[in-house]
Amino acid sequence: METFIAPYREHIKKDLDSAIAYAAETYSKNDGALNTAVGNLMADIAYEQANPIFLKRSGHDIDMVLLNYGGIRSILPKGDVTKGTAYKLMPFENSLVVAAIKGNQINDLVNYLVKAKKAHPIAKLKITLDKDGSLLESKIKGENIDANKTYYVATNDYLYQGGDDMTFFQPNDSHYTLDYKIRNTLIDYFMKTDTINPVRDDRFTQIK
């Protein structure tokens, strides 16, 4: 049996270990309090890879992305990036879903993040805290949040189902299952990107 399996194992290992991109530095989810380079990268990748699919299926753009800090399971080390890197970063089988929720639920989402003060990966959402850690401003794609508007939020199926006490996705106007694993969004992005160099930015910050 081992003799039979060995060539297949070697083929899989070679595929997982083949370089498909290059990371300019080592990036860790511990390199920032409210946003991190690797978290920003994962949220931005989710938006970039999933939005064309969602737009084609629904006629709408994704408004923002929310993933979870605990879902990042590894550093992104400096040097060659492989498919195996994506498996280490995201070993879970979580897939992307898009929930259509009202602005008042977005406000609940923002309040959750403000209270948690943890670098949960977000994209297209900007949160600014004052010196005391209270919410100063929140915007989606540069615009104030309208409590009555419907927003299309991409997240993973674990959070959509209430994981990490993120209960604001229910109820919703509708939801869409994209059949796109977060790990695969990473692999697809890595395969089309030569050098990966994410940064911390101002998407979630506190005024000093």
Side-chain angles (χ1 to χ4, degrees):
M1 182 66 72
E2 176 61 28
T3 302
F4 178 78
I5 293 173
Y8 297 95
R9 182 189 295 117
E10 185 61 30
H11 175 75
I12 292 171
K13 185 177 185 301
K14 183 177 180 181
D15 184 51
L16 290 177
D17 291 346
S18 297
I20 53 178
Y22 181 84
E25 300 292 341
T26 294
Y27 305 98
S28 166
K29 71 176 185 179
N30 298 314
D31 68 4
L34 299 178
N35 78 85
T36 67
V38 68
N40 294 347
L41 175 70
M42 291 178 71
D44 289 345
I45 287 174
Y47 181 87
E48 180 175 326
Q49 295 298 125
N51 192 59
I53 298 170
F54 181 66
L55 179 60
K56 185 175 181 179
R57 292 186 186 179
S58 70
H60 301 285
D61 282 307
I62 293 170
D63 290 299
M64 61 158 287
V65 176
L66 170 63
L67 303 176
N68 56 316
Y69 177 85
I72 306 172
R73 306 302 288 186
S74 171
I75 62 169
L76 175 59
K78 181 178 180 177
D80 288 342
V81 175
T82 67
K83 291 181 181 179
T85 306
Y87 274 83
K88 290 176 181 177
L89 279 168
M90 177 53 63
F92 308 113
E93 295 300 308
N94 295 123
S95 295
L96 284 172
V97 301
V98 178
I101 61 176
K102 295 296 185 184
N104 63 327
Q105 291 166 276
I106 297 289
N107 289 328
D108 291 339
L109 181 160
V110 170
N111 290 333
Y112 174 98
L113 295 176
V114 170
K115 184 177 179 180
K117 290 183 173 59
K118 185 177 287 187
H120 291 296
I122 57 174
K124 306 303 178 182
L125 170 66
K126 183 176 179 181
I127 300 173
T128 307
L129 308 182
D130 64 19
K131 293 180 180 179
D132 298 321
S134 298
L135 179 63
L136 183 65
E137 185 178 64
S138 59
K139 293 178 179 290
I140 290 180
K141 292 183 175 178
E143 297 184 357
N144 292 328
I145 296 166
D146 181 344
N148 298 311
K149 180 180 175 180
T150 296
Y151 292 89
Y152 296 93
V153 182
T155 187
N156 63 49
D157 46 5
Y158 168 72
L159 298 184
Y160 175 77
Q161 294 164 6
D164 286 0
D165 294 322
M166 295 192 186
T167 58
F168 36 73
F169 291 113
Q170 310 292 342
N172 52 72
D173 291 350
S174 58
H175 87 281
Y176 304 78
T177 301
L178 300 186
D179 297 317
Y180 200 177
K181 293 185 187 301
I182 293 175
R183 180 194 308 124
N184 290 344
T185 70
L186 299 177
I187 291 171
D188 290 345
Y189 177 83
F190 293 159
M191 290 185 71
K192 68 179 185 180
T193 305
D194 180 72
T195 302
I196 298 164
N197 189 17
V199 296
R200 292 169 57 195
D201 56 27
D202 64 350
R203 69 186 68 190
F204 191 4
T205 57
Q206 181 174 357
I207 295 174
K208 302 298 184 182

